[in-house]
């Protein structure tokens, strides 16, 4: 099979994989942006020994779409992993609470048994009845407080026993619920991982079918597309030569310094360093290093962190990209971000407007 037919077969495979649905955590229907529509038709087979510029552009768009889908699936995987860790921790705490509760119940039952035995030794009569039958007034008066103390102790033991039994039942129910959630999260992790691997493999296969000069040209087309988007974004800003203003806080400077120090390290999905990162792994670790822990995934960062206008952006802020919030980069000033782009790439500087911006969040607001 010649090079032209290989490219056509690879593109057909991409279109089939492009129909994979996004995970539950991602927005179901992204709004149109600069990325190609997943429903776009497959690029036509090249008509000559080398793919035409138009064919390469379609291939670039297909590859970009696949990696974006992989990014969204990665976010779902990371979120499910974080939730699984949390549920595992809760189960451990609940198991300890159950053990402690069982020990407490055993102790209370022993105390109640001791009180019952004491009553038996006194002839089966409660302390109050014994005092009434006593013909010694002084004994009667001296025993009043003992009776009251004993009655209160009995009530306290019974109340504690009831409370502890109720708590134990609650702990057991919570442990069962958390176990079910843990299993559910494990299923979601497996599904997300499968999608990630399939989409990355399809993108890599598609690119591998190209000749070296075509791959070089493909990289240039990627840079050209990013530059056009960046130029268009800068044109919308009040100070296009530098982007937006605003001084970074001390924490923001620390986060920027950490993220910038990772430049050159490879993208690995699900990674949080120190040798490799995915996009949200980089931003979450940078802010953790600055003393401000933030959510692990880009979608959770978008959902939970305070949002600000682009015109108010300052270094250290996080820019969330695409309608499904599947990518994130850290603004470092002068219209640039540090981010971990995708598989096959490394942590790098890029134009803040080189991708479709969804919004901006501020971890230290």
């Amino acid at each position: 099979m010649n090079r032209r037919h290989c490219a056509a077969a690879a593109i057909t495979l991409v279109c089939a994989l492009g129909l994979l649905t996004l995970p539950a955590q991602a927005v179901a229907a992204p709004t149109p942006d600069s990325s190609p529509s997943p429903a776009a038709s497959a690029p036509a087979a090249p008509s000559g020994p080398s793919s035409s510029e138009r064919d390469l552009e379609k291939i670039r768009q297909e590859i970009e779409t696949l990696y974006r889908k992989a990014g969204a699936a990665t976010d779902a995987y990371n979120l499910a992993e974080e939730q699984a860790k949390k549920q595992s921790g809760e189960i451990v705490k609940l198991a300890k609470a159950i053990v402690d509760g069982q020990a407490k119940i055993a102790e209370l039952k022993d105390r109640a048994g001791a009180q019952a035995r004491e009553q038996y030794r006194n002839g089966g009569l409660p302390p109050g009845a014994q005092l009434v039958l006593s013909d010694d007034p002084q004994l009667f008066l001296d025993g009043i407080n003992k009776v009251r103390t004993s009655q209160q102790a009995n009530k306290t033991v019974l109340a504690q026993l009831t409370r502890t039994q109720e708590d134990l039942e609650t702990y057991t129910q919570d442990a069962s619920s958390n176990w079910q959630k843990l299993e559910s999260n494990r299923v979601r992790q497996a599904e997300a991982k499968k999608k990630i691997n399939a989409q990355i493999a399809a993108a890599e296969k598609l690119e591998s079918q190209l000749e070296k000069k075509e791959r070089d040209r493909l990289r240039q087309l990627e840079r050209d597309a990013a530059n056009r988007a960046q130029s268009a974004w800068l044109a919308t800003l009040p100070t296009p030569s530098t982007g937006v203003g605003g001084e970074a806080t001390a924490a923001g400077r620390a986060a920027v310094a950490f993220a910038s120090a990772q430049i050159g390290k490879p993208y690995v999905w699900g990674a949080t360093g120190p040798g490799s990162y995915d996009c949200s792994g980089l931003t979450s670790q940078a802010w953790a290093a600055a003393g401000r822990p933030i959510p692990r995934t880009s979608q959770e960062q978008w959902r939970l962190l305070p949002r600000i206008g682009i015109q108010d952006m300052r270094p250290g802020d996080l820019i969330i990209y695409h309608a499904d919030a599947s990518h994130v980069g850290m603004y470092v000033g002068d219209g640039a971000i540090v981010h971990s782009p995708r598989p096959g790439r490394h942590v790098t500087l890029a134009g803040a407007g080189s991708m479709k911006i969804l919004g901006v969040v501020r971890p230290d607001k």
Side-chain angles (χ1 to χ4, degrees), residues 4-19:
R4 180 173 54 137
H5 292 157
C6 287
I11 294 165
T12 301
L13 173 64
V14 170
C15 289
L17 287 171
L19 295 176

Side-chain angles (χ1 to χ4, degrees), residues 310-358:
I310 291 177
Q311 70 278 4
D312 299 319
M313 190 164 54
R314 68 191 185 198
D317 290 342
L318 304 181
I319 305 181
I320 309 298
Y321 293 95
H322 311 309
D324 57 2
S326 58
H327 190 69
V328 59
M330 178 177 291
Y331 185 65
V332 295
D334 293 330
I337 59 168
V338 170
H339 73 142
S340 189
R342 65 169 176 82
R345 300 291 187 263
H346 296 75
V347 177
T348 187
L349 280 171
S354 58
M355 297 166 283
K356 182 67 175 179
I357 294 176
L358 176 62

Side-chain angles (χ1 to χ4, degrees), residues 2 26 118 123 143 146 169 178 199 203 234 264 267 270 272 277 297 352:
N2 60 28
E118 177 66 21
K146 292 182 179 179
E169 182 178 351
N178 278 283
Q199 289 153 351
L234 289 176
Y267 176 105
T272 56
Y277 298 87
T297 70

Side-chain angles (χ1 to χ4, degrees), residues 149-181:
T149 301
S150 176
Q151 289 174 338
Q152 185 60 42
N154 287 339
K155 290 179 181 179
T156 300
V157 169
L158 291 175
Q160 287 179 337
L161 183 59
T162 300
R163 226 172 17 248
T164 303
Q165 287 174 329
E166 291 174 350
D167 289 344
L168 187 60
E169 182 178 351
T170 300
Y171 294 150
T172 303
Q173 292 174 349
D174 288 347
S176 176
S177 174
N178 278 283
W179 181 260
Q180 291 174 355
K181 291 177 182 178

